[in-house]
Amino acid sequence: MAEETRKNNPNAVEDISMYKKQSQFVQAWDRLRKNKVAIAGLVILVILILGGIFAEQLAPYGYDDQDVMRRFTAPCREFPFGTDNLGRCIYSRILYGARISLLIGFVATGMGAVAGTILGAFAGYYGSKTDNIIMRFCDVLQAIPSLLLAIAIAAALGSGLFNMMLAISIGAIPRYARTVRASILTVKDQEFIEAAHAIGASDARIILKHIFPNCLAPIIVQVTLGVAGSIINAASLSFIGLGVQAPTAEWGSMLSAGRQYVRDYWFVVMFPGLAIMTTILSLNLFGDGLRDALDPKLK
Amino acid sequence: MAEILRVEHLKKYFKTPAGLLHAVDDVSFSIEKGKTLGVVGESGCGKSTLGRTILHLLDSTDGKIYFEGQDITNVTKSQLKELRRNMQIIFQDPFSSLNPRMCVSEIIQEPLEIYKAYSDKKEMLRRVAELMNTVGLAPSLAGSYPHELDGGRRQRIGVARALAMNPKFIVCDEPVSALDVSIQAQILNLMQDLQEELGLTYVFITHNLSVVKHISDDILVMYLGKVVEYSSGEALFEHQYHPYTKALLAAIAIPDIDRQNERILLKGEISSPVNPRPGCRFAPRCEYCTAICRKKAPVMEEIVPGHFVACHHVRKINGMSEEK
């Protein structure tokens, strides 16, 4: 068809702006909206975040209000999720805990993912010596078990929320760096990268516009899984006293503190565990949907 | 006619674990404006490397490249960017040469963005529409993604991208070998039309001899990084002097049932371009090979005016009087 148009009327230039679709983000959002499972994940995630933000309004008790006479109360009307070994309302603590846990999950993962992605991008794109230096650095980090590394860093920096997030994120860097480097290596040798060089695109433009969008899928998957890992690692650090200090509510530490009572009182660990599980599940659902939505090939 | 590109003794060696790979070894030629130089040879003979080295997608090892009389062998980054306005490339595989995450109009407008050719977005889109029209793409495809289109249309996108900044010179790296035969003809005709309209100069790299006959003014025959024969296309198809070219052209399939072609079958495999032995590269497979061929590399000689051949025995093979 098009070929004929050209021959019949070589000077016809139609306005193509009407055929141009909206920006990539609008398109991706359109595709995401059609994916019910992903939207369900997003909704749950938003509810959890809102729960954390409005904890003061939603929680019937404060996170450190104790009622020692009523410790280990099973879930009832007064305490929807029961009370723990100090008689604190577990429901209220989960709401307050969402603040810290989600913060740790997102910020620690985010820092690790950003640092890892940048390092991996440099290693994969420039290759040779740069690659060698960065990847050997990652080898060193990976040689130490991530939790031990986090403990060492947290101990060196001192306890506290930010130091803990930093400790966790550093341990996560090699994973992201490796993932990004591997996918950049596969994309880098394709002809459209050479084509971009040929039309005079700068290195920054090639990395940001051509390589990065084509490497996004594995990063998203890693990040959504990484959030869960960060929350669990934070719990371990809190458990040995390097993270959030008691009585501050945090899902991981609630889980580990309740562990010794699990035989007699299921609800002490059940609800914090469910909270973590719901977060991770919703993140994975949303992450999968996001990955698909960002790929124009999957419509 | 004015000369647009001249290449002198161009060399491109790659370092490999096994040794130095001589991908392009001492290649010289020149092209006049508006003409097409066909580069033929079998896979791995350095055709694509030659094209990429001219465009500085690969750094040359040695030799000189002149574009419009200027030495462009060593250029700075900003000079290179300017140069690429004028020198473009069309790639072989339309399936991997387009970014799968960009739609047609984004791909075509990218060079315009890079050179900040238009400050007004509307005008830029107009130019994109114009380009799409030039290469015969329907305007309604502007928002499509490459994976939604067939090979021919994808290759048209590649052509439009190369044309965006009005280049003078285009390296076509096997632009039709990944396409169906019917689409090959479409793209070839399109490229010839464009050459006429816009006065383009092509270096046309291919292993398809029918294609090269169809499109080229001059032909460069390469074997293992070396030029073995270089002449005008007509003269080459009329008479071949180098034993390799003879064998190559004898292999063209002619769709005629009564005609019995005399095939020249080459013995053996193409030898390795890594640390090549001294002497003629073609010697191990050549039926006329003698001691001198294994010792000394032949130089290009003008056998008849405008017809260059690199072979020690060219006159003997072709029954011409020995004159040196």
Side-chain angles (χ1 to χ4, degrees):
Chain A
M1 271 302 283
E3 292 83 63
E4 284 140 37
T5 335
R6 173 178 145 72
K7 277 184 189 127
N8 296 341
N9 193 354
N11 293 320
V13 174
E14 222 177 305
D15 184 14
I16 55 162
S17 47
M18 57 188 272
Y19 297 113
K20 256 199 99 167
K21 289 167 189 157
Q22 311 92 329
S23 76
Q24 300 226 332
F25 287 103
V26 180
Q27 279 183 55
W29 171 243
D30 275 349
R31 284 193 289 264
L32 187 65
R33 251 189 347 198
K34 286 180 200 138
N35 187 342
K36 292 209 177 69
V37 181
I39 291 298
L42 181 64
V43 169
I44 297 173
L45 207 58
V46 169
I47 290 174
L48 286 167
I49 293 170
L50 288 178
I53 293 172
F54 296 106
E56 264 121 13
Q57 286 75 30
L58 293 169
Y61 307 93
Y63 62 88
D64 52 354
D65 288 354
Q66 301 180 15
D67 189 349
V68 188
M69 299 303 289
R70 304 188 62 183
R71 53 206 287 254
F72 299 125
T73 311
C76 58
R77 190 168 291 177
E78 228 173 317
F79 301 105
F81 291 171
T83 59
D84 65 4
N85 57 328
L86 295 172
R88 296 176 294 198
C89 170
I90 292 177
Y91 172 65
S92 308
R93 281 177 68 76
I94 283 181
L95 282 176
Y96 280 102
R99 291 179 176 182
I100 309 274
S101 286
L102 291 178
L103 189 73
I104 293 169
F106 285 111
V107 175
T109 313
M111 290 195 299
V114 169
T117 303
I118 292 171
L119 284 177
F122 270 104
Y125 186 73
Y126 289 105
S128 65
K129 257 188 199 146
T130 322
D131 184 23
N132 236 325
I133 293 168
I134 293 175
M135 292 333 280
R136 295 303 77 79
F137 163 73
C138 287
D139 284 346
V140 172
L141 277 184
Q142 268 194 321
I144 310 163
S146 66
L147 188 61
L148 267 181
L149 183 71
I151 290 173
I153 298 169
L157 296 174
S159 65
L161 187 60
F162 182 75
N163 287 348
M164 179 169 73
M165 293 194 289
L166 199 65
I168 293 168
S169 65
I170 289 174
I173 286 176
R175 235 188 4 204
Y176 297 107
R178 280 193 186 286
T179 316
V180 173
R181 173 178 173 270
S183 47
I184 281 189
L185 283 182
T186 55
V187 174
K188 192 178 79 166
D189 284 333
Q190 292 196 37
E191 262 184 345
F192 67 83
I193 303 299
E194 210 175 7
H197 278 295
I199 55 172
S202 60
D203 280 2
R205 188 186 179 94
I206 290 174
I207 293 184
L208 290 177
K209 278 204 87 168
H210 295 279
I211 296 182
F212 190 62
N214 286 294
C215 302
L216 213 52
I219 302 175
I220 291 175
V221 175
Q222 281 281 353
V223 166
T224 50
L225 294 173
V227 171
S230 299
I231 294 178
I232 302 291
N233 274 347
S236 316
L237 285 183
S238 301
F239 188 61
I240 55 172
L242 286 169
V244 182
Q245 299 304 306
T248 311
E250 192 257 296
W251 296 344
S253 53
M254 288 167 74
L255 199 64
S256 38
R259 211 176 45 178
Q260 46 188 310
Y261 314 108
V262 69
R263 251 184 238 209
D264 306 310
Y265 310 105
W266 57 272
F267 47 86
V268 183
V269 289
M270 176 72 139
F271 291 106
L274 267 180
I276 296 178
M277 198 203 82
T278 316
T279 312
I280 294 162
L281 180 70
S282 61
L283 255 171
N284 283 350
L285 294 179
F286 176 64
D288 271 4
L290 190 65
R291 182 196 54 197
D292 292 349
L294 287 172
D295 190 348
K297 277 191 212 164
L298 300 168
K299 252 184 209 170
Chain B
M1 278 294 250
E3 177 183 274
I4 187 161
L5 182 86
R6 168 190 283 282
V7 172
E8 282 176 1
H9 307 291
L10 190 68
K11 287 179 188 155
K12 174 66 195 175
Y13 297 164
F14 291 103
K15 281 197 189 98
T16 65
L20 217 51
L21 190 151
H22 296 227
V24 174
D25 208 348
D26 203 359
V27 171
S28 307
F29 62 85
S30 73
I31 316 171
E32 282 173 8
K33 200 169 170 12
K35 299 276 185 192
T36 302
L37 174 77
V39 180
V40 282
E42 58 195 290
S43 303
C45 74
K47 307 179 297 263
S48 296
T49 310
L50 174 66
R52 283 167 164 73
T53 311
I54 295 171
L55 288 184
H56 289 229
L57 287 172
L58 295 170
D59 292 323
S60 56
T61 311
D62 197 15
K64 293 259 180 243
I65 308 166
Y66 298 92
F67 183 72
E68 295 188 309
Q70 271 182 309
D71 186 354
I72 58 158
T73 320
N74 298 304
V75 286
T76 62
K77 256 191 167 172
S78 56
Q79 282 173 316
L80 185 60
K81 198 175 163 186
E82 266 321 290
L83 205 61
R84 280 181 173 155
R85 266 174 194 270
N86 290 323
M87 301 172 88
Q88 271 303 322
I89 179 166
I90 299 170
F91 288 93
Q92 169 177 13
D93 182 2
F95 292 87
S96 74
S97 65
L98 305 172
N99 187 342
R101 304 219 173 209
M102 288 164 85
C103 69
V104 175
S105 62
E106 282 170 326
I107 293 171
I108 299 177
Q109 100 191 16
E110 199 182 12
L112 304 174
E113 281 172 12
I114 289 170
Y115 289 98
K116 300 188 177 67
Y118 296 94
S119 49
D120 184 26
K121 231 189 148 188
K122 253 194 172 153
E123 266 184 59
M124 185 156 78
L125 274 184
R126 222 190 115 72
R127 170 72 177 144
V128 172
E130 201 179 280
L131 283 165
M132 288 178 68
N133 184 51
T134 314
V135 298
L137 282 167
S140 56
L141 297 175
S144 307
Y145 285 91
H147 68 92
E148 299 166 339
L149 306 174
D150 59 55
R153 291 213 174 81
R154 284 161 161 249
Q155 197 56 290
R156 284 169 198 271
I157 303 173
V159 175
R161 173 175 59 190
L163 288 179
M165 292 311 295
N166 284 322
K168 295 173 185 158
F169 169 75
I170 300 182
V171 172
C172 313
D173 185 9
E174 311 217 19
V176 296
S177 61
L179 306 173
D180 287 349
V181 176
S182 59
I183 312 228
Q184 284 191 6
Q186 282 181 18
I187 297 289
L188 285 176
N189 289 336
L190 170 70
M191 291 178 62
Q192 282 191 317
D193 290 348
L194 290 172
Q195 181 167 39
E196 252 169 62
E197 271 171 55
L198 308 170
L200 299 170
T201 310
Y202 292 142
V203 162
F204 201 97
I205 297 164
T206 182
H207 57 249
N208 187 331
L209 292 158
S210 325
V211 166
V212 90
K213 190 177 181 180
H214 182 70
I215 201 162
S216 309
D217 296 298
D218 289 334
I219 294 178
L220 197 71
V221 183
M222 285 180 76
Y223 185 83
L224 271 181
K226 288 262 193 196
V227 178
V228 296
E229 194 158 352
Y230 172 39
S231 86
S232 78
E234 276 169 42
L236 190 86
F237 278 91
E238 193 72 33
H239 193 96
Q240 309 89 39
Y241 289 92
H242 196 281
Y244 177 65
T245 321
K246 284 178 195 278
L248 200 63
L249 292 211
I252 301 180
I254 296 163
D256 185 347
I257 223 163
D258 300 320
R259 189 169 159 156
Q260 270 299 324
N261 266 37
E262 255 185 65
R263 287 283 163 91
I264 303 172
L265 288 179
L266 290 179
K267 295 166 291 180
E269 286 285 312
I270 190 163
S271 42
S272 165
V274 179
N275 292 334
R277 268 175 274 168
C280 176
R281 296 276 161 89
F282 188 57
R285 300 173 79 182
C286 182
E287 54 181 310
Y288 306 102
C289 172
T290 58
I292 188 171
C293 301
R294 296 214 179 79
K295 267 189 218 132
K296 205 174 136 222
V299 283
M300 290 291 271
E301 250 186 285
E302 194 162 7
I303 294 301
V304 250
H307 202 130
F308 297 84
V309 182
C311 177
H312 289 298
H313 303 307
V314 57
R315 291 193 172 80
K316 200 169 79 195
I317 294 166
N318 293 289
M320 296 159 76
S321 60
E322 205 75 31
E323 42 170 302
K324 277 223 164 150

